[in-house]
Amino acid sequence: MSTLLALDPSGLLGQLYISFWIPTVVLTAALAIKLPTIIRLWRDPLLRSVGGLLLLACAVFVFAAPATIARVNRITGVPNFAAPLVYSLLTAFCGSCLLLIIAWRNGLSDRSTGTRRAMRLVIWAYSGVIVALWVLFALAHAPVERVRDLDTYYANTPFMREETLLYLLAHCTAVLITSRLIWNWVRTDGLDAWLRWGLVCLGVGYALNLIFDAAKLTAVGARWTGHDLDWLSTDLAPPVACLSAILIAVGFILPHVGQFLHERWRVRLVHHELRPLYLLMKSVNGSGVPFVLRASPDLRLIRRETFIRDVLLPLARHIDEDLRRRSYDAALALGFPPGRAKALAAAVTIQDAVGRRSRAPDENDAGGPDTTVLLQEIGAVSRALRNPDDLDAVRARTAAPAQDTPVHD
């Protein structure tokens, strides 16, 4: 690989080409995922900053695509008009990154003079860079349209040379500061795992931007010294920029999507764990929860929990508290830990109550035992019902002569 790179770097890197539309799609997906939260919490400056940053990142890759560059030049009738446009969008993106990091670092409640001064400095500095880019382009003479190699083609052209250097230095400065702050944040204790991995992706993405800047600056510097390393700018820098954008988009998506999927998995897992107890209560009630096609996982879980508690409540009059105490002692004697023994005892008692109710369905004793704890531990009881062998062992131990089962204090 290294030999091929030395002999024909342009040809080898050309095979690694990444379409500019791939990061555009990923960035758009990140924006779409964040958009509902941004709209709902529009007053949150952090969310607005994230939305603006992702929008600018999308715009950079849309307008940096060779086909779009050619179209913009043709529509405006000005050769290379797309150059200052793309450079301006990239500079605005850099400024947005710095503003976002300042807001993240200092927090929403920080309205200190230093924070306001830093944010004003970023806004004025990068606004000034954007104005300077258009002024330099207006002063430059760049009559030949260059869609892919404008930076190196005009590396020695007055004003175009300064324009290229200006946008690269502004980009490199923002990337260095942003990358350093992100990696400092990654090392902070107590971060959510999804947020930490999101920050890692952001950190790697911004670090890759340094490779982009280094490749561009090296290629332009080579032109200044009479050498030709254009492949660094035309073949290495674009795929690096695309990969960087994809990682940055993933960094913004990962905490949101990861936490969403984690919560959905937790809800589905709890819903599944309640199935044994739900089926037992369904046999008591004669029917279960009506199926609703469009019910969300959260709603299905709530309905299942409510159904179980609604059936358990009238079943309380059939519960034998003495049986529960003896079953608990038997479970402890079998070596089960207290929490597990409590769940097994409750499961045995509920199964016994179901049998009692089937034998005496019209029995009505208003003075039934307190089921508050039982109603709060339906998850543990349902998990206990998944182990009939353990329940049989506890039931057999409970039925043994009293002297064989040690009494629990």
Side-chain angles (χ1 to χ4, degrees), residues 47-61:
L47 288 173
R48 291 203 305 271
S49 298
V50 170
L53 186 145
L54 290 173
L55 186 61
L56 283 170
C58 289
V60 168
F61 281 93

Side-chain angles (χ1 to χ4, degrees), residues 141-256:
H141 181 64
V144 180
E145 182 185 56
R146 307 302 300 186
V147 175
R148 297 185 69 244
D149 63 346
L150 182 138
D151 292 341
T152 51
Y153 186 86
Y154 288 109
N156 291 305
T157 301
F159 300 113
M160 285 299 292
R161 172 183 58 228
E162 287 76 11
E163 175 160 1
T164 300
L165 188 60
L166 179 62
Y167 97 83
L168 286 175
L169 290 178
H171 182 259
C172 188
T173 300
V175 167
L176 279 171
I177 297 174
T178 305
S179 182
R180 177 186 174 186
L181 292 175
I182 287 175
W183 285 112
N184 287 341
W185 193 0
V186 169
R187 291 191 289 268
T188 303
D189 295 330
L191 287 181
D192 174 78
W194 291 107
L195 176 58
R196 188 181 300 277
W197 280 108
L199 289 172
V200 168
C201 289
L202 284 174
V204 174
Y206 280 110
L208 283 175
N209 271 316
L210 294 176
I211 299 178
F212 169 86
D213 291 328
K216 287 281 187 179
L217 288 170
T218 302
V220 170
R223 280 297 187 111
W224 294 345
T225 59
H227 298 85
D228 184 355
L229 293 177
D230 290 5
W231 62 271
L232 289 172
S233 177
T234 57
D235 298 307
L236 177 62
V240 168
C242 291
L243 184 58
S244 169
I246 292 171
L247 287 172
I248 289 173
V250 170
F252 282 113
I253 293 173
L254 197 58
H256 182 90

Side-chain angles (χ1 to χ4, degrees), residues 362-378:
D362 297 326
E363 181 182 336
N364 187 8
D365 180 8
D370 183 13
T371 58
T372 303
V373 176
L374 182 61
L375 292 173
Q376 293 174 345
E377 300 295 331
I378 58 175

